[in-house]
Amino acid sequence: MSSDEFDYGKDEQLRSREVTEGAEKAPHRAMFRAMGFDDEDFGSPMIGVPNPAADITPCNVHLDDVAESALAGVDDSGGMPIEFGTITISDAISMGTEGMKASLISRELIADSVELVSFGERMDGLVTIGGCDKNMPGMMMAAIRTDLPSVFLYGGSIMPGEHDGREVTVQNLFEGVGAVSDGDMSAEELDEMERHACPGAGSCGGMFTANTMASISEALGFAPLGSSSPPAEDEARYEVAREAGELAVEAVEAGRKPSDFLSKQSFENAIALQVAVGGSTNAVLHLLAMAAEAGVDLEIEEFDEISQRTPKIADLQPGGTRVMNDLHEIGGVPVILNALYEADLLHGDALTVTGNTIGEELEALDVPTIEDLEADFLYTVDEPKNEQGAIRILTGNLAPGGSVLKVTGDDELRHEGPARVFEEEEAAMKYVQEGNVESGDVLIIRNEGPQGGPGMREMLGVTSAVAGQGHAEDVALITDGRFSGATRGFSIGHVAPEAFAGGPIGLLEDGDVVEIDIAERTLAVDLSDDELAERHDEWEQPDPTYDTGVLAKFGRDFDSAENGAVTNPALKRD
C-alpha cells in the first residue's frame, strides 16, 4: 500500500509520515530498515503494540504469544506493527509486602511510558495489551491521553485449579493461610492446594480486579464484545488478538479516536456492569482516573447511584464460587450486558471502538438470554441475586470524601464495634495471625493511602486471614488503602481524606466506637464534631515514608482516592 493510497480520516495525514516520508527522512527510514521494515511499511499506518510481557507473573508470562497474533492482525490488514515493552507488577506476589506499594504506581508508569513512546515515535494507532491488574487501566489511560485510534486487548484469565474435588483459585490460598493459623487447616493441605491452585498462564480467575477491568473494557467500548472472557491459553484468545490488530488498522483508517466514542454514558455503562457482576472495588478508583483523563465529569457518589438502580445478577468469586471461564462458556460478558440492555439499565446508544453503538453490537451478536441459559450462577434482572448492585459508597464523619465497599452477601448489614488501630498493614496482619481478633472488632489500617503509603496497598492478606479464621461477617476492616478484588466480607477501603492528609481515620484511637450502616450508606465514629476538631488540632502530619526515588515522587504526585488517585496536575481537584 503506497502512502498516496491510504486515507487517514479522509483529509488527515498519518502522523507517522513525520518519520517515514520525504528525502530528509532517509536516516529515519534507514533505522526502520535495520529492523526489517520496507517501502510498503513506510506508506502504512504505524500501529504501536505496547506489551507488558514478563516472567514475574502468570498474568503476563504468555503475552509475547498474544502480541504476536495482534502484530499479525495489524500486518495482514496493511498496517506497520511496532511492538514495544512496558512494566508490570504482580499484585498477587507483592501482596502483603512493602512491594505492594508499587502496584498503583505501576498504573501511572504504564500510562506514562505508553504515552511517551507513542508521542516520541509518532505512532498512528495502538493495540494496548494488559494482563495483571493495573495493566488494564494503565493501558486505557494511555490510549485516552494520546487520543490515538486504539483497541484494548486483554491477555485472558487463568483456568481454575482443582483441589479435593473442587475448583480453587489464589483466593482460596490466601484464605487458607488464615485457616492454618486458626487451626482449621493443616499446613500439609495448604501445601497441596498451593501446588494446584494456579495451573498455567493468565490472570487470577475470579471476578477480581483483572477480570473486572477487562470486562469493563467491553462496556466502555474500548474492546470488542466477547473479547475479555476467552482464557489465556485458549485458541480463541489468539483469534481475539488477531482481530484486535485488524480493528486497530480499521480504526486508524476511519480516524476513530477514544474521544469519539468515550462519553458519560460509556462510563455509566461500565459502572452498571461492575455492580451487576460484583466486580472489584478497584474499578471505582480506575474509572474515576480514566474519566478524569477523558474529560468526563464523574463523581464517586455516582457509583452508588447506579448501584442502587442496578441489581447484582452474577454470582462469581469472590462472593460466589464460579470464575471467568464459567462465564465464557455460556457467552461471556455480552450475556450480562445484554440483560442490562434489555432492562433499560444500559445506554444502548453509547458508541464503541467498532464505530457502532453497544446496542447495535449486542443485537448483531444475538446474545442468549439468562433465562434461556439456566446457568446456576446467573440471575435475571427481575429475580436478581441482590436487588442492588455490589458497590456501596459510604460517607460520614469518618469518611467525608467517601469510602468504598463491595457487598458480597446481605444488603442490609450493619456493624458496630471498637476500633483496633494499626499504623500499617504488617502490624494488623501480626495481630490477626496471633489470634487476637474478636467478634465485633473494627480493624483500622491507616497511613496506606495514595500519598501516605504511598500507593494504596491492597490488604488481601489481612482480609483473607480474617475470613480464614471465620470472621468474614462479624469483623470489619477499614483502611485508607485498598482491598484486592478477591476480598470479601466487611472490608471498606479508599477512605478519604486519608490519614496522611489529616483525614478523620488518622484521628481514631483504640476503643473508639465505629458504626457502619450499609443500608444508610454511613461510616461514622461515635465522636462529636468538637472532639474530632480537638484531636485534629493536636494532630501532626507524619514524615513521608520515603524521601527519595520513585515512591517519594508518587507520594507527592498522587491526588485523593475520591478523585481516582490521579497524578496529572491538571486533573487534580481542590
Side-chain angles (χ1 to χ4, degrees), residues 270-301:
I271 297 169
L273 176 69
Q274 175 197 6
V275 302
V277 299
S280 170
T281 55
N282 282 310
V284 175
L285 195 76
H286 300 324
L287 284 170
L288 286 168
M290 291 163 62
E293 297 281 4
V296 171
D297 184 18
L298 184 65
E299 304 289 337
I300 193 171
E301 294 83 5

Side-chain angles (χ1 to χ4, degrees), residues 65-271:
D65 294 333
V66 173
E68 185 176 346
S69 293
L71 293 164
V74 171
D75 192 47
D76 291 347
S77 299
M80 178 181 179
I82 304 273
E83 184 180 14
F84 59 95
T86 187
I87 69 160
T88 190
I89 298 291
S90 171
D91 281 24
I93 293 174
S94 63
M95 193 76 68
T97 75
E98 193 173 12
M100 186 64 194
K101 295 179 178 183
S103 171
L104 185 59
I105 292 173
S106 76
R107 182 191 76 177
E108 300 301 303
L109 288 175
I110 290 166
D112 289 352
S113 63
V114 174
E115 176 190 10
L116 200 61
V117 173
S118 302
F119 174 81
E121 301 299 317
R122 316 311 289 155
M123 291 177 178
D124 302 306
L126 295 169
V127 178
T128 60
I129 304 176
C132 201
D133 293 6
K134 306 310 173 292
N135 296 177
M136 274 67 78
M139 289 294 183
M140 287 185 274
M141 286 165 66
I144 294 168
R145 290 180 190 174
T146 62
D147 204 27
L148 295 175
S150 303
V151 180
F152 176 75
L153 172 60
Y154 183 39
S157 62
I158 195 171
M159 295 294 287
E162 185 174 325
H163 170 70
D164 197 25
R166 64 189 176 100
E167 291 187 343
V168 293
T169 68
V170 71
Q171 175 195 352
N172 301 99
L173 278 174
F174 275 103
E175 294 187 2
V177 172
V180 169
S181 67
D182 203 41
D184 291 335
M185 179 185 288
S186 68
E188 290 75 18
E189 182 178 357
L190 181 64
D191 177 74
E192 184 66 20
M193 188 189 299
E194 170 195 329
R195 298 174 188 277
H196 296 92
C198 299
S203 304
C204 298
M207 192 52 70
F208 310 149
T209 302
N211 279 321
T212 298
M213 293 307 300
S215 299
I216 278 173
S217 72
E218 293 187 35
L220 272 175
F222 250 125
L225 295 187
S227 63
S228 64
S229 65
E233 298 182 291
D234 192 291
E235 185 59 36
R237 173 52 50 203
Y238 300 98
E239 294 173 8
V240 164
R242 177 179 285 273
E243 291 167 1
E246 295 168 353
L247 180 57
V249 175
E250 192 273 323
V252 171
E253 204 167 8
R256 191 182 309 120
K257 305 179 293 295
S259 60
D260 296 322
F261 63 83
L262 287 179
S263 64
K264 183 62 175 286
Q265 289 71 30
S266 307
F267 283 92
E268 290 179 350
N269 285 348
I271 297 169

Side-chain angles (χ1 to χ4, degrees), residues 381-402:
V381 170
D382 293 332
E383 298 182 22
K385 173 68 175 176
N386 299 98
E387 292 293 336
Q388 296 183 15
I391 296 297
R392 303 286 189 276
I393 305 300
L394 310 184
T395 58
N397 69 353
L398 190 50

Side-chain angles (χ1 to χ4, degrees), residues 364-563:
L365 283 178
D366 192 23
V367 182
T369 66
I370 291 175
E371 291 90 342
D372 290 340
L373 289 168
E374 297 183 352
D376 64 2
F377 62 97
L378 296 185
Y379 298 76
T380 66
V381 170
D382 293 332
E383 298 182 22
K385 173 68 175 176
N386 299 98
E387 292 293 336
Q388 296 183 15
I391 296 297
R392 303 286 189 276
I393 305 300
L394 310 184
T395 58
N397 69 353
L398 190 50
S403 60
V404 184
L405 167 71
K406 178 168 68 175
V407 175
T408 56
D410 190 341
D411 281 340
E412 306 303 323
L413 285 173
R414 190 177 186 283
H415 187 94
E416 181 176 315
R420 310 298 183 200
V421 181
F422 304 94
E423 304 299 334
E424 59 178 4
E425 179 188 3
E426 286 82 358
M429 188 64 171
K430 183 174 184 291
Y431 181 86
V432 174
Q433 288 182 320
E434 289 176 349
N436 297 313
V437 175
E438 297 180 3
S439 179
D441 279 351
V442 180
L443 306 185
I444 305 293
I445 309 174
R446 63 193 184 194
N447 296 311
E448 293 285 4
Q451 299 169 23
M456 294 186 77
R457 281 195 288 185
E458 295 179 1
M459 309 294 169
L460 179 58
V462 181
T463 58
S464 296
V466 169
Q469 293 180 12
H471 289 296
E473 304 301 331
D474 63 15
V475 168
L477 296 97
I478 299 173
T479 183
D480 50 9
R482 295 179 292 131
F483 288 116
S484 164
T487 294
R488 61 188 178 95
F490 248 132
S491 303
I492 302 171
H494 306 203
V495 171
E498 63 177 286
F500 185 80
I505 189 174
L507 310 178
L508 290 180
E509 298 175 359
D510 279 332
D512 287 341
V513 177
V514 175
E515 303 166 352
I516 305 163
D517 193 324
I518 295 177
E520 295 298 323
R521 271 47 175 196
T522 57
L523 175 61
V525 57
D526 188 16
L527 295 171
S528 68
D529 291 346
D530 288 342
E531 288 173 302
L532 285 171
E534 184 178 339
R535 290 189 187 183
H536 191 274
D537 288 341
E538 297 174 357
W539 174 82
E540 293 183 3
Q541 186 177 52
D543 293 332
T545 310
Y546 306 90
D547 54 16
T548 62
V550 67
L551 276 81
K553 172 185 174 182
F554 279 91
R556 294 190 299 267
D557 289 349
F558 275 127
D559 196 5
S560 173
E562 65 182 295
N563 302 325

